[in-house]
C-alpha cells in the first residue's frame, strides 16, 4: 500500500503562519493539491479524514477522485 499523510497548515506539527485555522476554507486548497497528486498517480484513492480535515474535504473537488472515504469526528 502507498500512504500519503497530510498535516493541514496551522494544525498539528505543520508550519504555523500565524493566521490560525479557517475551519476548512484555506485548508481545502492544500488538500486539493495532495488529492490531485494522488488521483494522477494512483488508480484508486481511499481517504480517511477527521476533525478540520472534514471541512477541507467537503470544500474540495473530491467526488470523481475518491473511491471510498472514512469520516471520523
Amino acid at each position: 500500500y502507498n500512504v500519503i499523510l497530510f498535516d493541514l497548515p496551522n494544525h498539528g506539527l505543520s508550519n504555523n503562519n500565524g493566521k490560525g485555522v479557517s475551519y476548512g476554507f484555506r485548508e481545502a486548497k492544500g488538500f486539493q493539491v495532495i488529492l490531485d497528486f494522488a488521483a494522477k498517480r494512483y488508480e484508486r484513492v481511499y481517504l480517511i479524514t477527521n476533525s478540520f480535515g472534514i471541512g477541507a474535504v467537503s470544500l474540495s473537488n473530491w467526488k470523481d477522485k475518491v473511491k471510498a472515504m472514512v469520516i471520523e469526528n
Side-chain angles (χ1 to χ4, degrees):
Y1 298 95
N2 295 299
V3 176
I4 299 173
L5 298 175
F6 177 61
D7 193 11
L8 292 168
N10 297 313
H11 297 264
L13 300 175
S14 68
N15 193 16
N16 186 337
N17 64 10
K19 293 183 179 179
V21 298
S22 66
Y23 300 96
F25 180 72
R26 285 191 306 267
E27 292 83 356
K29 294 175 185 178
F31 172 73
Q32 189 69 55
V33 171
I34 299 297
L35 181 59
D36 291 344
F37 168 82
K40 287 178 187 173
R41 187 166 180 148
Y42 304 108
E43 183 178 327
R44 293 174 292 176
V45 175
Y46 300 93
L47 181 64
I48 300 173
T49 184
N50 68 346
S51 191
F52 285 99
I54 298 168
V57 170
S58 67
L59 293 172
S60 69
N61 181 20
W62 63 269
K63 292 179 183 174
D64 295 331
K65 298 176 182 178
V66 176
K67 183 152 178 97
M69 185 182 330
V70 174
I71 299 173
E72 184 273 323
N73 194 10

